[in-house]
Amino acid sequence: MSNMPEKDLILIVDDTTTNLEIVSQALTHSGFEVITAIDGEVALKQVQDRLPDLILLDVMMPKIDGLETCKKLKENLKTRDIPVIFMTAISDTHTKVKCFALGAVDYIIKPFQKEEILARIHTHLQLRHLTKTLEQRVAERTAALSQALEELQKSQLQLVQKEKMSALGQLVAGIAHEINNPVGCIYGNLGHTSAYFQDMINLINLYQQHYPDPVKEIQEEIAAIDLDYMRADLPNLIASMKESVQRIRNISTSLRTFSREDSDRKVYCNIHDGIDSTIMILKHRLKVSQSRPDIEIIRDYDNLPKVKCFSGQMNQVFMNLIANAIEALEESNIGRSYDEIEANPNQITIQTRLIKDANHVLIRIKDNGVGMSVDIQHKLFEYLFTTKPVGQGTGLGLSIAHQIIVEKHKGSLEVYSTPGKGSEFIITIPICDNP
């Protein structure tokens, strides 16, 4: 019998033959066993016969695309734990966040870099093998090994958090930067447009003053274009456009605030800026729809000093908690009419307070949504715990939030909830490291 270790099996799914050949050859030369599939249907059949250790999955494919293929893999008990790395030429934030939401561990941007593919595959295979090994040992040994598993899970949590937020932050900051130039140009030119229009109106007024009875052709044209209405309405149009452009500028500022990269050291920042930027980013989920009125945001801000913290990580906590509150409200609306919701509106209350000893700040995020049972409250911050269906929740959001507040900022994160009456999350963090 041979004592050589068994090769890791990699499944490559891509509808482009050239990509299959290039990636397959690179992985084979690096010591992996490789199998390929030209579309999602073939891949789903192959994994039933033999489970790969890792799957490289193209996003854009005919029949079943990569996102749907990943969803089906995660719905299957046999295949849901196989690490999936997406291969894509698409670089928009929405697609990448959706990939992570479906359970992917990573993504690789086309055109491929051999060294990058190999580095990412080695990293995730190591995590995969380490997880499997520890799970087996936990089943065989004493409670001491459960502590080791917990440490591994925390390491994985930190890796997922760093990779996802770093990628998302870079993309969001890049988009915000690219928006600034054209929006600034439009905003500036609208000012000139308004001034030019006023100059033309002044000139028309002079003409009408000195030539009150123009020729018939001019009179007909004035009537055709409804000059008086145009003169009255055009300033309103310009003002409306300026207001819309200003909103885009505010969104861009919020994106840059939210995606601010954290250094190795904490910095003093305005907590309210982080909350407001998060609300701005989630604005599309708050505004009125066919089924319900606007979700009301009630701000009750205290006069807080700047807080020394990792601002990007704090913004991630706000994003998780406010997004969860929106989902709880949407769930509470099921079966209620528009008029019923309007009579008892959806509300999210965000309150900040300076605690009397002046060494800590308190942040409350409260909704009047569906609420949760005591049992769920006890499990809420556990790693991988989720109440959502498979493929719709990772079970990482609140565990990451708890880790950021408790471990990174030496604070506390608590939840209080009553079924049918809503939930409240309370964050307490020190103003500085040595209060």
Side-chain angles (χ1 to χ4, degrees), residues 4-5 20 104 108 116 188 209 263 274 289 302 307 394 406 408 411:
M4 293 184 63
L20 283 176
I108 300 170
E116 180 184 1
Q209 179 182 346
S263 63
S289 68
D302 199 357
V307 176
T394 62
V406 175
K408 295 294 184 68

Side-chain angles (χ1 to χ4, degrees), residues 101-313:
L102 287 172
V105 296
D106 213 339
Y107 63 88
I108 300 170
I109 298 296
K110 297 179 181 179
F112 304 114
Q113 298 294 328
K114 177 183 174 181
E115 293 79 8
E116 180 184 1
I117 294 178
L118 292 175
R120 292 178 183 268
I121 287 175
H122 279 300
T123 296
H124 291 293
L125 281 175
Q126 287 175 353
L127 286 171
R128 171 71 172 149
H129 294 327
L130 191 53
T131 301
K132 288 169 66 176
T133 300
L134 283 173
E135 287 173 346
Q136 292 168 359
R137 291 170 68 186
V138 165
E140 295 168 358
R141 293 191 179 185
T142 64
L145 267 179
S146 66
Q147 182 63 35
L149 178 59
E150 183 179 345
E151 292 302 320
L152 171 66
Q153 290 174 334
K154 287 183 179 180
S155 298
Q156 289 175 317
L157 185 61
Q158 291 171 351
L159 175 64
V160 171
Q161 174 193 342
K162 183 177 180 180
E163 289 290 330
K164 288 174 66 174
M165 292 308 295
S166 174
L168 181 60
Q170 290 174 14
L171 284 166
V172 168
I175 292 169
H177 179 74
E178 291 300 321
I179 287 174
N180 279 344
N181 288 336
V183 167
C185 176
I186 295 170
Y187 189 84
N189 285 335
L190 281 175
H192 295 309
T193 302
S194 182
Y196 295 159
F197 169 71
Q198 190 57 51
D199 289 341
M200 285 190 290
I201 290 300
N202 293 338
L203 181 60
I204 291 172
N205 289 338
L206 282 174
Y207 265 99
Q208 291 181 330
Q209 179 182 346
H210 292 284
Y211 303 99
D213 298 312
V215 298
K216 182 179 180 181
E217 185 179 356
I218 293 178
Q219 290 179 359
E220 291 175 348
E221 185 64 20
I222 288 174
I225 66 174
D226 197 350
L227 180 61
D228 289 339
Y229 176 79
M230 182 188 299
R231 291 165 65 173
D233 192 48
L234 191 54
N236 296 332
L237 295 178
I238 293 173
S240 177
M241 287 188 284
K242 288 185 73 172
E243 184 178 336
S244 297
V245 171
Q246 184 58 52
R247 172 161 167 73
I248 296 174
R249 295 175 79 186
N250 292 341
I251 291 171
S252 176
T253 300
S254 295
L255 289 171
R256 283 182 285 131
T257 299
F258 179 82
S259 63
R260 188 186 306 161
E261 292 188 11
D262 289 324
S263 63
D264 293 335
R265 293 179 299 173
K266 296 177 184 176
V267 295
Y268 283 96
C269 68
N270 187 323
I271 288 294
H272 297 151
D273 286 346
I275 296 172
D276 290 341
S277 70
T278 305
I279 293 171
M280 178 68 77
I281 292 168
L282 290 171
K283 194 77 172 179
H284 67 288
R285 296 185 61 185
L286 297 167
K287 63 184 181 182
V288 63
S289 68
Q290 291 183 342
S291 61
R292 61 156 177 80
D294 286 316
I295 294 175
E296 298 177 6
I297 297 292
I298 301 171
R299 295 175 173 88
D300 180 10
Y301 291 168
D302 199 357
N303 184 20
L304 299 183
K306 289 191 173 182
V307 176
K308 191 174 185 181
C309 64
F310 296 108
S311 61
Q313 293 182 25

Side-chain angles (χ1 to χ4, degrees), residues 68-85:
E68 183 63 22
T69 302
C70 183
K71 181 179 178 182
K72 290 183 179 296
L73 288 167
K74 297 304 176 182
E75 289 173 347
N76 188 324
L77 287 174
K78 289 177 60 180
T79 60
R80 69 182 184 185
D81 292 326
I82 299 173
V84 175
I85 299 178

Side-chain angles (χ1 to χ4, degrees), residues 3-56:
N3 292 326
M4 293 184 63
E6 186 176 338
K7 294 182 178 180
D8 287 315
L9 178 64
I10 310 294
L11 169 60
I12 308 171
V13 189
D14 198 315
D15 63 322
T16 305
T17 306
T18 303
N19 288 343
L20 283 176
E21 292 176 352
I22 292 173
V23 180
S24 178
Q25 187 178 38
L27 296 183
T28 302
H29 287 167
S30 298
F32 296 107
E33 183 180 354
V34 176
I35 54 176
T36 61
I38 60 171
D39 60 46
E41 288 183 349
V42 175
L44 291 171
K45 291 177 182 177
Q46 284 184 321
V47 296
Q48 298 305 316
D49 298 327
R50 187 179 177 193
L51 293 176
D53 295 291
L54 184 140
I55 299 173
L56 292 174

Side-chain angles (χ1 to χ4, degrees), residues 59 67 70 84 86 88 93-107:
V59 173
L67 298 176
C70 183
V84 175
F86 275 105
T88 177
T93 303
H94 175 74
T95 300
K96 291 180 179 179
V97 172
K98 193 171 183 180
C99 290
F100 281 124
L102 287 172
V105 296
D106 213 339
Y107 63 88

